[in-house]
Amino acid sequence: MIKKLKYIALLLILLTVPQQVLAHPGRTDSSGGHNCRTGPCAGTYHYHNGGGSTAPSSPAPTPAPTPAPTPAPQPVTQPKPKKTIETISGLVSVSAANTLWVDLILEEVSRSKTATNYTTVNPVTTATSRITGATQEPKVNGDQKFYYVSEVTDGDTIKVVVDGRIEKVRLLGIDTPETKDPRKPVQCFGMEASKYAATLMLNKYVRLELDKSQGDRDRYNRLLRYVYLENGAEVNAELVKQGYALAYLRYPVAQTETYKQLQSKAESQSLGLWSACR
């Protein structure tokens, strides 16, 4: 009986030895396993009490953020320089074909704040003059001088170049319909009279004759003159004869009676304003 008990005790000892050999310190984690630090399993991770048989995988590394693309540099747009005219000079004459070009120059000059010294140009005429004086020299024929007509203001008023300056001239003894009087509207046949006067005198040379019964100038400082072309024709009389002017009876001159006769004939023939302005 005692011998039998010894065998049983020996058997129990043998059964407990492996558990003691395999036992090692260390707590298990929430998955039922842990890292083994001592014994045969040192350096490994394993499970107890039926836990999983494989080590958990390491967490995936967080990917680095993708950098935003660098925007392409935008081209720098240089501002266009403003057009200005500092000086317009050297113009002596401009042909009629260039009147559009002249208009553009005048428009640009009026807009430019830097234009302080420029040449004045009348776009209706072909004459140009500096602010300080004109450039057209008179023609001399014997004892007679002929002066350049730079502008026809209206039918009975012109501008001529006299001794290097611009002078306004009022044709004596006649009166054409108004086109430039700020107190009055453009009168009947006024534009036609201005155009006809321009065909006779504009850009041509004329002789100016004083009437001794009249003063040298009127209240507007205009020269009071009879005007003659180089061929000897009197412009004052021609305007009345063709029906573009009337005899100016308010201020009688030496030629008043002649103008009255020419006016009566133009009226009887319904010439010029007599056909349109009755």
Side-chain angles (χ1 to χ4, degrees), residues 28-29 31-34 45-56:
T28 60
D29 55 24
S31 300
H34 70 149
Y45 182 93
H46 60 269
Y47 294 90
H48 288 263
N49 301 326
S53 58
T54 58

Side-chain angles (χ1 to χ4, degrees), residues 188-206:
C188 178
F189 229 67
M191 296 305 297
E192 289 81 357
S194 295
K195 290 179 181 178
Y196 185 68
T199 62
L200 294 177
M201 297 180 285
L202 184 61
N203 304 319
K204 298 177 182 179
Y205 285 82
V206 298

Side-chain angles (χ1 to χ4, degrees), residues 40-216:
C41 64
T44 64
Y45 182 93
H46 60 269
Y47 294 90
H48 288 263
N49 301 326
S53 58
T54 58
S57 59
S58 300
T62 303
T66 303
T70 303
Q74 297 297 321
V76 179
T77 303
Q78 297 294 336
K80 294 182 179 180
K82 294 182 178 180
K83 294 181 178 179
T84 59
I85 297 179
E86 296 181 358
T87 302
I88 300 177
S89 60
L91 298 179
V92 176
S93 63
V94 181
S95 66
N98 289 334
T99 55
L100 177 58
W101 177 80
V102 172
D103 289 340
L104 294 176
I105 288 181
L106 290 175
E107 181 182 354
E108 186 66 25
V109 169
S110 66
R111 288 198 303 263
S112 173
K113 295 182 179 179
T114 62
T116 56
N117 178 26
Y118 55 89
T119 300
T120 58
V121 183
N122 187 329
V124 178
T125 74
T126 61
T128 68
S129 63
R130 294 189 183 280
I131 293 175
T132 55
T135 57
Q136 275 72 15
E137 296 294 332
K139 288 184 177 181
V140 179
N141 184 6
D143 60 348
Q144 295 180 337
K145 280 187 177 182
F146 291 83
Y147 302 98
Y148 184 80
V149 179
S150 63
E151 182 180 337
V152 173
T153 305
D154 59 17
D156 54 26
T157 308
I158 62 176
K159 292 181 181 180
V160 298
V161 182
V162 179
D163 298 330
R165 65 182 183 276
I166 299 294
E167 288 278 9
K168 289 184 179 180
V169 178
R170 175 65 165 82
L171 276 66
L172 267 175
I174 68 170
D175 189 33
T176 60
E178 293 292 343
T179 61
K180 299 294 181 65
D181 192 332
R183 302 165 298 177
K184 301 176 182 179
V186 176
Q187 294 179 330
C188 178
F189 229 67
M191 296 305 297
E192 289 81 357
S194 295
K195 290 179 181 178
Y196 185 68
T199 62
L200 294 177
M201 297 180 285
L202 184 61
N203 304 319
K204 298 177 182 179
Y205 285 82
V206 298
R207 181 172 64 85
L208 305 177
E209 185 177 299
L210 177 67
D211 188 329
K212 294 181 180 180
S213 69
Q214 305 297 314
D216 183 55

Side-chain angles (χ1 to χ4, degrees), residues 218-232:
D218 64 7
R219 59 178 177 168
Y220 303 109
N221 201 38
R222 297 177 297 187
L223 295 174
L224 298 175
R225 298 291 189 271
Y226 299 113
V227 178
Y228 294 87
L229 300 177
E230 290 185 88
N231 62 8

